[in-house]
Amino acid sequence: MITKIVLTGGPCAGKTTTNERIEEVFSKLGYAVFTLPESPTLFIKAGADFLTHDRNLYYEIHKNMMLFLLQMEDSFYNIAEATGKPALIVNDRGAMDISAYMDPKDWQRLLRETGHTEEELMARYKAVFHLITSAKGAPNSYTLSNNSARMEETLAEAIAVDENLIRAWQRHPNLHIIESEEFVKDKIDKVLLGIATELGIHESVTCEL
């Protein structure tokens, strides 16, 4: 059995640390765990200019990022099958995240040109876990220092991105909104519990920080 989930959320939401704990916890439970890297970060570090004012270039970056993301997912699905073990594939952002950064008309054009629908893209994932940005729940913790690809400099920008991402996934039938907590461990434990429930695991799962 292969379970695909999305870990998404606004900037400085704790996705990186949560991904590390997911791999640690569910690997110990016998799962083959694959944590896919965040495509926008890969593209930014490779030189793609997400701040360009060239609308056609901006569109092409996002269209090709979509194609890259879907191919990466499919490749790791094949690898997961080959393990012969129950597997968990964790996407650091999923296909619908891309829509949160595009003009609606350009997004609809992208869907037409790539031959996808929103319903089909959402159906690729059993569950979506949206981690609320610390800019909204714990503003004193918001920082740019732990991610060189993060572009949202103000709390307002971070919150706006967070809300756009929630709207992008709001029609997914299994969307989990994970609020910010005073202690990051509590936030991560909520995600771990949610994933365990999706996998039918009834034993206690918690992280150690």
Side-chain angles (χ1 to χ4, degrees):
M1 180 183 69
I2 300 173
T3 301
K4 291 171 60 179
I5 68 168
V6 171
L7 197 64
T8 186
C12 200
K15 292 190 290 92
T16 300
T17 303
T18 302
N19 247 330
E20 293 170 355
R21 299 289 85 79
I22 290 171
E23 182 174 11
E24 175 185 300
V25 168
F26 291 100
S27 293
K28 289 180 180 178
L29 292 173
Y31 283 81
V33 181
F34 300 93
T35 54
L36 276 55
E38 185 183 57
S39 296
T41 297
L42 292 178
F43 273 52
I44 289 170
K45 289 185 176 180
D49 182 9
F50 282 77
L51 297 178
T52 181
H53 295 294
D54 183 332
R55 183 170 176 176
N56 181 64
L57 174 58
Y58 188 84
Y59 173 81
E60 285 299 324
I61 290 172
H62 285 77
K63 176 182 175 180
N64 283 280
M65 186 167 62
M66 166 77 84
L67 297 173
F68 173 87
L69 171 63
L70 298 182
Q71 180 59 61
M72 179 169 60
E73 289 179 7
D74 292 344
S75 295
F76 275 91
Y77 191 93
N78 293 337
I79 294 170
E81 281 190 317
T83 67
K85 299 169 61 176
L88 175 64
I89 298 176
V90 184
N91 294 67
D92 189 340
R93 302 204 179 283
M96 287 299 298
D97 282 72
I98 294 172
S99 69
Y101 295 88
M102 297 187 73
D103 177 274
K105 290 182 179 179
D106 287 339
W107 170 245
Q108 291 303 317
R109 174 189 167 195
L110 186 155
L111 291 176
R112 289 193 304 272
E113 292 185 357
T114 58
H116 295 287
T117 66
E118 291 188 347
E119 290 72 22
E120 177 250 324
L121 292 177
M122 285 189 278
R124 294 174 67 91
Y125 315 103
K126 184 175 183 183
V128 178
F129 293 85
H130 179 101
L131 280 62
I132 296 293
T133 174
S134 62
K136 184 181 294 184
N140 291 335
S141 300
Y142 187 76
T143 179
L144 301 177
S145 63
N146 60 355
N147 187 340
S148 60
R150 185 171 295 146
M151 296 180 289
E152 298 82 11
E153 295 185 357
T154 69
L155 296 180
E157 289 174 337
I159 291 170
V161 168
D162 191 89
E163 292 175 348
N164 284 342
L165 290 165
I166 291 176
R167 282 192 290 271
W169 290 104
Q170 64 185 352
R171 290 191 294 112
H172 193 283
N174 207 4
L175 172 63
H176 302 254
I177 306 295
I178 310 297
E179 300 288 345
S180 291
E181 299 283 350
E182 181 179 358
F183 300 106
V184 67
K185 180 183 185 303
D186 295 334
K187 191 174 187 179
I188 295 173
D189 281 346
K190 286 183 178 180
V191 176
L192 296 176
L193 177 60
I195 294 174
T197 300
E198 296 295 339
L199 296 175
I201 297 172
H202 302 295
E203 60 190 275
S204 176
V205 289
T206 59
C207 74
E208 297 180 6
L209 293 179

